[in-house]
Amino acid sequence: MSEVVLSIADLEKMYVGGVHAVRGVSFDVNQGESVAIIGSSGSGKSTVLRCINRLIEPTAGVVKLGGEQINTPYADVNDIRSRIGMVFQSFELFAHLRVLENITLGLRKVRGMSVEDANEIAHQVLGRVDMLDRIHAYPGNLSGGQMQRVAIARALAMKPEVILFDEPTSALDPELIGSVLQTIRGLADEGMTMVIVTHEINFARDVADRIIYMDEGLVVEEGPSSIIQNPKTERMQKFLSSINEEH
Amino acid sequence: MNKRTNRIFSWSEVPTSSRMIIISSAIIFIFLTPILGEGYESSWSIADSGIESDLLTATADSDGIVWVFGEGGIILNSPDMQTWESSESPTTSDLWTSDSNDNIVVAAGSAGTVVLKSAESNTWTSYTTPTATDLLGVAITGEGVVVAVGENGAIWILENGNWLDRTFGLSIDFNDVDFEGERGLIAADEGRIFGSEDGGLNWEERNTPEGLTDSTIISIDYYLANRGYAITSEGQILKSTQEGLTTAVGYNWLLVEIESEDRNTTLQRQISSMEVLGTTKFIVAGPSGYVALSKDGGNIINPQLLPVPNDFSINDIAMRDAFQGVIIGEEGTILWTENAGEDLAVGFEIIDLSQFNEFVDFSKDNLWQGLKATVKIVGFGILLGFFIGVTLAMCKTAPTTLKQIIEGNLGRALYFFWVFIPVYSIGGKVLGNLSSGLFFALIITLISWLVSRKYDNRVIAEAFAENRQSSGYQIPEKYRINLIRTLGVSILVGLPFSEFAMRGGIVKFWQSISDFRSLDLTGIEYIFAPVGDPDAFFNFLLGIALIYLGILFITFKGQFKKHEFSYGFKLNPWGIRPLASIATLYTDFFRNTPLIVQFMFVHFGLQIGKHIQGAGTDLFTELYLLSGGADLFIEYGLYAADAPTIISKTHEFIFSDRAFLSAIFALGLNSGAYQCETIRGAIAAIPSGQMEAGRSIGLTYMGTMNQVVLPQAIRICIPPLGNEMVNLVLNSSLAMVIAYTELTRQGKLIIAITFQIFWTWGMVMVSYFVVTWTLALILRWLEDKTRIPGLGISGGA
């Protein structure tokens, strides 16, 4: 049994407006494991993801990273976030900074590294996502796929214990998706611990060690990637068939 | 490839149009610079005498020819005072004195020598007195007779080539002689003057003031028959006037009290010569390069500038008329003038203000001063306004609801209320003043922070490892509710410890109400209560805030959530954002009152300028004193010796003018309110994902704000900020109401002097245009320079 990196127990989130987005979600993520969370829009999967690094404060429940509870008022939230990488649906690269500076900002300002050291790490991670040739470009001059790969590199640079992907390919044109998925698959092969919220069922099946299907704020079905072929619950069957109709 | 470098400015990247603009602005500024050079210069010019010998005496004949005599019997003459020619001299004796009339020119000197030339003749004839006494004065009577006086009381009359000795037995030296018709005067040693009524045959002593016995009268002169002047070698001026019908000029002499010398009776200068030019006008000259003119009979004597060194020895003055004349002196020097030597004013012209060029010449200095003053307040105002704007915008956009503040800072809040404030208050009371109490409280805070920091790092790690939560300020969950409720009570009540009492919210509120009531206003008048008692108003607001907080804390049930009432009415008391409320109060106040009133309120009402000037002067005085001993500034590249100068210069630049300080504050505070909204809009335009992304790599809220959000927001709001800055420049004209001499006020001053209204306001407008247009261009350039591809819709690029 490998070590549990991320552990979520009875997570609940009630938004201020009264929407009960997450109604008690629990799962563990082991070292080197990649977990895909699938589900229809509004099922609470993005909320779960954001609760993990406390971009959204959970209303109740326990989130543990490396065994430490991180959703207490006393935990250093900035330190925690620097240990959890996050990749956003809409990339969220810092538009006023060049690719290199995007990567090194956190290293310099959070880790307090010198510019030289930070640049060295940035070159390594940009090499991993195959973006070394656009190192001085502004994000505005990159294609969507390139931007997402830079965003992945930005998360990697902080040497996170786990990376959260929030629908990394939803904002991309189909022909650009490939390169991003390639990169994520590469990370999975290298043994990076990942939680991926995605609509790409096929990708989830290929990459994820485990699939979590969420609906209406609850984990409906959980299991190895093979559950996509044989969904046990009716709701997941419905969901998968609606997806297949679209494609 | 993207080869853009990080250079801040590169001329080659500036578009041609911008270059033109930069160059033309620079030219305008250069031409606005005042051309200085006003002053005085001497109206004496040096003439070329052609010789090196000392020149000793000069006289101008009735044809306007000036004759100069010198050592070794030199004789020079000039018809125009500029070109000199030498005459053949019949003597080698030094010639010390000279005179002329319509017919003859005469000079006299050492060993009884007299040289003489008649108007018809070109040759000089030499005579020598029988006793060969040195002759010190010579004059021609109305009859054309030459009278010479000299050492040991010698008086000789030369008539038709024959000498007549009229010496009457005095052994003092006679230094000068002058005749007006048959009346003659002799200036003598011991302050004595002798007169003759018969062409020099008989002499008698005249009345001179007492106390001149040590003085030597060296020169005496009639002006026609109605004034006589004499001067001593020590610079005392004697004057004689006609008195009634009986006593003619020359009988009674008085010392002139010299107003320009502090009412002394002496010039306190060595004098060698005097020349009377009119009834009240005369020139005196002395050996130490001293030439002075009086135009009012000696009351005011104006020394003149000379184009020769100060130690130049002047021996004589000779005037052709009241304006043209020469000074002669050592080593063949001749200076000539055409306006009695009066200093020429250079640059001071009589200005014809109806001529535009002269008007511009006259008013440009004022405009330039005004422009500088405007730029000064605008510069500081923009900085202050921007600082306030950014701060307020961040306050307004910050996620600082009460819930977040209390949740994140419960430990600190408890520490603040239960440790800091009591220590501050009690310490202050015990130690005698509040600032030592504050100091004490800060020290304790620092110690506890250091301790908890050390404690935290070690214990947090263990606590995490053991999956429990306790360290530092951490308060166990079960005590939290009770602690918060107690805090609520304490906020409402305060510290009721007799002399160490601190008033809580209820007390403050109640007291402010009673303070308001004691203002004794009626009805609607109460809207002015904040002005009537600002302290009470502050306590009123603070009281309300504290009561709100207190009630909230007391009713705390462990959940920071909304209260739901019947009929679907909801209240979210924890959603209040104190920082945003304060910022909103600020912007509402400054945006809903006129700037001109704010100017007057800030300057005359609050007297901000005065207070800051006082504080600044105190600080700089301390610095100044410190800088004398300690090498405070060396690490900043300043030497200790320069520090006092730099300190006093800086102090003068910033703190010398109260209106300046007030104007900066009025402008900055006002502009800050508007800039706040602009910047807030720009911050709101940045996608929230940027904040999430920044936070997700571990940056703090402020870190993300500074590193990610603001750099993008400021870029977005450069155009509206430019608007605001141009507005600020234009609004700065209102500083004239607090007597700050910026451009508009200078315009009013110029009109007060010149009455040229159209031109003045036109030029003021042009000046403003230059400033704002330059500013707008700089901002346009900045916008261009900082544009990031893909950020916002920018119309290309």
Side-chain angles (χ1 to χ4, degrees):
Chain A
M1 185 69 194
S2 55
E3 192 191 341
V4 174
V5 176
L6 188 68
S7 158
I8 292 156
D10 304 323
L11 191 73
E12 278 192 56
K13 176 64 195 177
M14 176 99 106
Y15 281 110
V16 177
V19 177
H20 207 159
V22 179
R23 301 158 183 263
V25 169
S26 307
F27 62 89
D28 288 349
V29 182
N30 295 325
Q31 176 72 43
E33 190 183 29
S34 51
V35 175
I37 304 177
I38 58 172
S40 54
S41 296
S43 60
K45 36 189 209 309
S46 284
T47 305
V48 169
L49 207 63
R50 279 174 157 68
C51 284
I52 292 174
N53 70 351
R54 288 179 63 189
L55 286 176
I56 293 171
E57 288 294 341
T59 313
V62 176
V63 182
K64 287 183 186 172
L65 178 67
E68 310 158 13
Q69 183 176 355
I70 57 175
N71 62 330
T72 72
Y74 317 110
D76 183 349
V77 68
N78 300 313
D79 176 58
I80 289 157
R81 284 181 185 143
S82 73
R83 290 157 58 195
I84 303 176
M86 178 134 184
V87 177
F88 296 87
Q89 178 178 2
S90 48
F91 328 131
E92 301 302 348
L93 292 182
F94 307 132
H96 63 299
L97 298 177
R98 295 163 202 275
V99 166
L100 185 66
E101 295 156 342
N102 258 286
I103 310 282
T104 56
L105 183 70
L107 296 172
R108 284 183 289 121
K109 300 294 172 186
V110 180
R111 296 267 192 263
M113 282 187 186
S114 69
V115 176
E116 291 77 29
D117 294 350
N119 282 353
E120 201 185 315
I121 291 179
H123 277 88
Q124 284 173 20
V125 292
L126 284 170
R128 277 168 80 178
V129 299
D130 196 19
M131 281 298 297
L132 278 174
D133 52 335
R134 300 304 305 275
I135 209 159
H136 293 298
Y138 279 105
N141 291 340
L142 298 178
S143 76
Q146 287 173 323
M147 278 197 268
Q148 197 58 294
R149 280 186 281 152
V150 173
I152 293 169
R154 179 174 71 185
L156 282 176
M158 302 297 286
K159 296 211 164 42
E161 292 162 34
V162 55
I163 300 187
L164 313 177
F165 290 89
D166 184 11
E167 306 193 16
T169 56
S170 310
L172 295 175
D173 291 338
E175 69 267 28
L176 298 174
I177 293 175
S179 66
V180 174
L181 294 185
Q182 189 88 42
T183 307
I184 299 174
R185 195 173 284 125
L187 291 178
D189 294 345
E190 287 170 29
M192 175 59 74
T193 315
M194 296 187 290
V195 179
I196 308 165
V197 168
T198 184
H199 281 132
E200 291 285 324
I201 300 299
N202 294 332
F203 168 69
R205 190 187 54 217
D206 288 356
V207 171
D209 299 321
R210 209 140 48 85
I211 305 265
I212 293 170
Y213 170 67
M214 275 185 71
D215 193 22
E216 291 179 354
L218 289 166
V219 176
V220 176
E221 200 169 335
E222 186 182 353
S225 55
S226 59
I227 62 168
I228 286 183
Q229 269 86 21
N230 307 306
K232 293 188 185 103
T233 59
E234 199 181 328
R235 279 198 278 183
M236 189 167 172
Q237 280 167 15
K238 248 186 200 166
F239 169 69
L240 288 173
S241 60
S242 68
I243 295 262
N244 287 335
E245 274 167 27
E246 277 173 31
H247 288 280
Chain B
M1 277 301 283
N2 199 331
K3 279 275 178 188
R4 281 175 71 168
T5 54
N6 277 324
R7 277 161 72 181
I8 289 170
F9 179 80
S10 156
W11 185 249
S12 58
E13 287 185 24
V14 180
T16 319
S17 57
S18 302
R19 287 187 210 181
M20 293 288 289
I21 288 157
I22 291 169
I23 292 171
S24 49
S25 320
I27 289 171
I28 289 168
F29 267 90
I30 289 163
F31 277 96
L32 274 172
T33 319
I35 298 153
L36 297 171
E38 288 162 350
Y40 293 92
E41 66 180 34
S42 175
S43 69
W44 293 98
S45 314
I46 299 174
D48 180 16
S49 68
I51 56 162
E52 295 291 321
S53 317
D54 289 352
L55 303 175
L56 303 171
T57 179
T59 184
D61 70 18
S62 52
D63 296 331
I65 293 171
V66 181
W67 295 90
V68 172
F69 309 89
E71 62 177 354
I74 288 166
I75 303 173
L76 301 172
N77 73 83
S78 168
D80 59 1
M81 308 183 294
Q82 294 172 52
T83 54
W84 294 85
E85 68 178 56
S86 170
S87 304
E88 195 181 324
S89 176
T91 180
T92 54
S93 304
D94 295 348
L95 296 171
W96 290 324
T97 174
S98 57
D99 196 14
S100 63
N101 71 359
D102 296 351
N103 293 317
I104 35 177
V105 181
V106 65
S110 65
T113 307
V114 172
V115 296
L116 194 146
K117 184 187 83 72
S118 65
E120 307 88 60
S121 160
N122 278 327
T123 55
W124 288 84
T125 321
S126 173
Y127 302 89
T128 308
T129 59
T131 54
T133 328
D134 286 350
L135 296 176
L136 303 173
V138 69
I140 303 164
T141 70
E143 302 279 301
V145 174
V146 173
V147 178
V149 299
E151 286 185 340
N152 291 319
I155 303 176
W156 291 93
I157 297 178
L158 180 64
E159 197 169 8
N160 300 328
N162 297 316
W163 287 106
L164 184 62
D165 186 0
R166 296 306 301 171
T167 307
F168 55 87
L170 265 175
S171 62
I172 58 170
D173 290 351
F174 290 164
N175 298 315
D176 195 15
V177 61
D178 193 30
F179 272 90
E180 178 64 34
E182 291 305 295
R183 288 179 171 169
L185 289 169
I186 289 174
D189 282 1
E190 298 176 2
R192 291 160 81 171
I193 291 173
F194 299 88
S196 169
E197 292 288 325
D198 55 3
L201 293 173
N202 297 296
W203 296 87
E204 57 180 6
E205 185 156 6
R206 297 288 165 81
N207 298 323
T208 49
E210 289 178 13
L212 283 181
T213 47
D214 289 339
S215 304
T216 306
I217 302 180
I218 46 125
S219 184
I220 195 158
D221 256 323
Y222 272 112
Y223 182 72
L224 302 176
N226 51 34
R227 205 69 103 225
Y229 288 100
I231 191 157
T232 69
S233 57
E234 286 78 33
Q236 289 143 319
I237 298 164
L238 293 150
K239 182 159 80 171
S240 177
T241 54
Q242 187 167 341
E243 293 165 29
L245 293 170
T246 51
T247 311
V249 170
Y251 281 85
N252 296 314
W253 293 84
L254 295 168
L255 266 175
V256 175
E257 196 176 76
I258 306 163
E259 239 180 271
S260 55
E261 298 288 330
D262 288 342
R263 301 195 170 275
N264 257 324
T265 51
T266 165
L267 289 169
Q268 293 164 334
R269 301 289 295 245
Q270 283 270 306
I271 300 297
S272 60
S273 173
M274 172 166 72
E275 187 83 5
V276 178
L277 310 175
T279 318
T280 59
K281 187 175 180 183
F282 60 83
I283 295 183
V284 295
S288 53
Y290 179 73
V291 177
L293 173 75
S294 176
K295 293 196 275 191
D296 57 2
N299 281 331
I300 292 172
I301 299 198
N302 290 315
Q304 297 178 343
L305 294 168
L306 290 181
V308 287
N310 279 340
D311 56 355
F312 167 64
S313 178
I314 297 168
N315 294 323
D316 201 9
I317 312 168
M319 299 298 288
R320 292 160 88 176
D321 54 36
F323 297 101
Q324 302 185 0
V326 296
I327 295 173
I328 56 153
E330 57 184 353
E331 291 168 3
T333 308
I334 300 175
L335 304 174
W336 60 277
T337 183
E338 289 190 321
N339 64 339
E342 287 191 70
D343 296 344
L344 296 173
V346 184
F348 295 104
E349 300 156 39
I350 295 168
I351 304 162
D352 182 0
L353 291 171
S354 62
Q355 293 290 315
F356 187 62
N357 59 344
E358 299 199 6
F359 170 75
V360 172
D361 230 31
F362 174 77
S363 56
K364 71 183 176 197
D365 281 358
N366 282 41
L367 278 181
W368 177 241
Q369 294 297 333
L371 201 65
K372 280 199 286 190
T374 295
V375 169
K376 238 168 108 178
I377 54 169
V378 164
F380 282 106
I382 285 178
L383 288 181
L384 183 63
F386 186 69
F387 176 74
I388 292 175
V390 170
T391 311
L392 291 182
M394 278 163 59
C395 283
K396 282 194 172 188
T397 52
T400 47
T401 58
L402 268 182
K403 175 188 165 184
Q404 280 151 327
I405 293 176
I406 299 297
E407 257 190 337
N409 300 288
L410 183 63
R412 290 189 196 98
L414 290 172
Y415 176 83
F416 185 75
F417 280 103
W418 291 118
V419 181
F420 189 88
I421 288 185
V423 166
Y424 164 59
S425 168
I426 295 171
K429 291 262 167 54
V430 169
L431 293 171
N433 64 32
L434 282 178
S435 51
S436 27
L438 182 66
F439 181 70
F440 203 48
L442 286 175
I443 293 281
I444 287 189
T445 309
L446 184 69
I447 291 169
S448 78
W449 178 69
L450 287 173
V451 169
S452 71
R453 199 160 162 256
K454 195 179 162 198
Y455 184 64
D456 270 356
N457 286 344
R458 189 162 38 81
V459 180
I460 280 181
E462 287 171 13
F464 273 136
E466 294 169 25
N467 189 19
R468 65 179 166 81
Q469 21 164 313
S470 71
S471 72
Y473 295 132
Q474 282 190 28
I475 293 134
E477 191 83 35
K478 55 184 172 179
Y479 300 129
R480 265 174 84 197
I481 295 174
N482 286 334
L483 276 170
I484 287 180
R485 286 182 174 175
T486 325
L487 187 61
V489 174
S490 74
I491 286 172
L492 282 184
V493 177
L495 284 181
F497 303 124
S498 61
E499 64 175 309
F500 308 119
M502 296 195 68
R503 288 176 290 159
I506 293 175
V507 190
K508 274 189 190 297
F509 181 77
W510 185 249
Q511 196 145 24
S512 69
I513 294 294
S514 85
D515 285 347
F516 283 146
R517 288 173 73 90
S518 67
L519 287 174
D520 209 15
L521 302 174
T522 49
I524 191 79
E525 289 171 6
Y526 272 107
I527 66 167
F528 298 123
V531 183
D533 195 343
D535 284 350
F537 184 64
F538 177 73
N539 278 337
F540 177 73
L541 294 182
L542 193 62
I544 290 177
L546 289 179
I547 288 172
Y548 180 85
L549 263 187
I551 290 173
L552 207 55
F553 285 176
I554 288 170
T555 56
F556 182 65
K557 291 186 193 116
Q559 291 278 312
F560 299 98
K561 64 178 186 186
K562 286 181 186 179
H563 289 290
E564 292 196 26
F565 300 93
S566 44
Y567 309 113
F569 178 66
K570 288 178 190 171
L571 196 66
N572 185 6
W574 294 98
I576 281 190
R577 302 188 303 146
L579 287 180
S581 306
I582 292 169
T584 307
L585 208 67
Y586 177 93
T587 48
D588 281 357
F589 175 76
F590 276 95
R591 293 198 304 167
N592 292 305
T593 47
L595 179 55
I596 192 165
V597 180
Q598 286 167 16
F599 262 110
M600 292 191 279
F601 184 67
V602 161
H603 185 60
F604 300 116
L606 296 176
Q607 299 193 310
I608 281 185
K610 184 183 164 190
H611 295 311
I612 292 177
Q613 187 185 43
T617 303
D618 288 351
L619 175 72
F620 271 75
T621 311
E622 292 281 318
L623 276 181
Y624 190 86
L625 293 176
L626 272 176
S627 67
D631 296 351
L632 261 184
F633 295 90
I634 287 183
E635 62 178 301
Y636 301 109
L638 306 178
Y639 292 102
D642 296 334
T645 330
I646 290 161
I647 290 169
S648 58
K649 282 253 154 72
T650 315
H651 175 255
E652 193 190 318
F653 183 71
I654 301 175
F655 294 107
S656 60
D657 187 0
R658 285 176 190 178
F660 167 65
L661 296 166
S662 293
I664 290 173
F665 270 82
L667 275 180
L669 294 176
N670 180 277
S671 178
Y674 288 92
Q675 290 192 32
C676 156
E677 296 299 303
T678 306
I679 297 167
R680 187 167 72 98
I683 290 175
I686 302 297
S688 60
Q690 291 282 310
M691 176 55 83
E692 285 189 340
R695 304 297 316 259
S696 76
I697 60 169
L699 285 172
T700 58
Y701 178 81
M702 286 302 287
T704 314
M705 210 66 193
N706 290 334
Q707 299 293 332
V708 178
V709 179
L710 280 180
Q712 297 181 49
I714 298 297
R715 281 178 169 89
I716 291 177
C717 68
I718 285 174
L721 273 188
N723 231 345
E724 178 50 36
M725 280 168 193
V726 167
N727 253 334
L728 191 139
V729 176
L730 304 181
N731 286 343
S732 73
S733 64
L734 293 177
M736 70 179 287
V737 299
I738 58 167
Y740 181 64
T741 356
E742 43 65 70
L743 204 44
T744 312
R745 190 172 159 79
Q746 288 284 11
K748 285 209 78 164
L749 295 178
I750 293 169
I751 287 175
I753 300 167
T754 65
F755 298 101
Q756 295 292 357
I757 296 163
F758 178 79
W759 287 347
T760 308
W761 288 133
M763 282 164 65
V764 167
M765 284 177 96
V766 170
S767 308
Y768 272 117
F769 184 81
V770 168
V771 176
T772 49
W773 192 56
T774 313
L775 192 64
L777 288 174
I778 290 172
L779 285 161
R780 206 177 295 171
W781 171 79
L782 199 67
E783 191 191 337
D784 218 47
K785 203 70 195 162
T786 57
R787 181 173 291 152
I788 297 295
L791 180 65
I793 300 165
S794 54

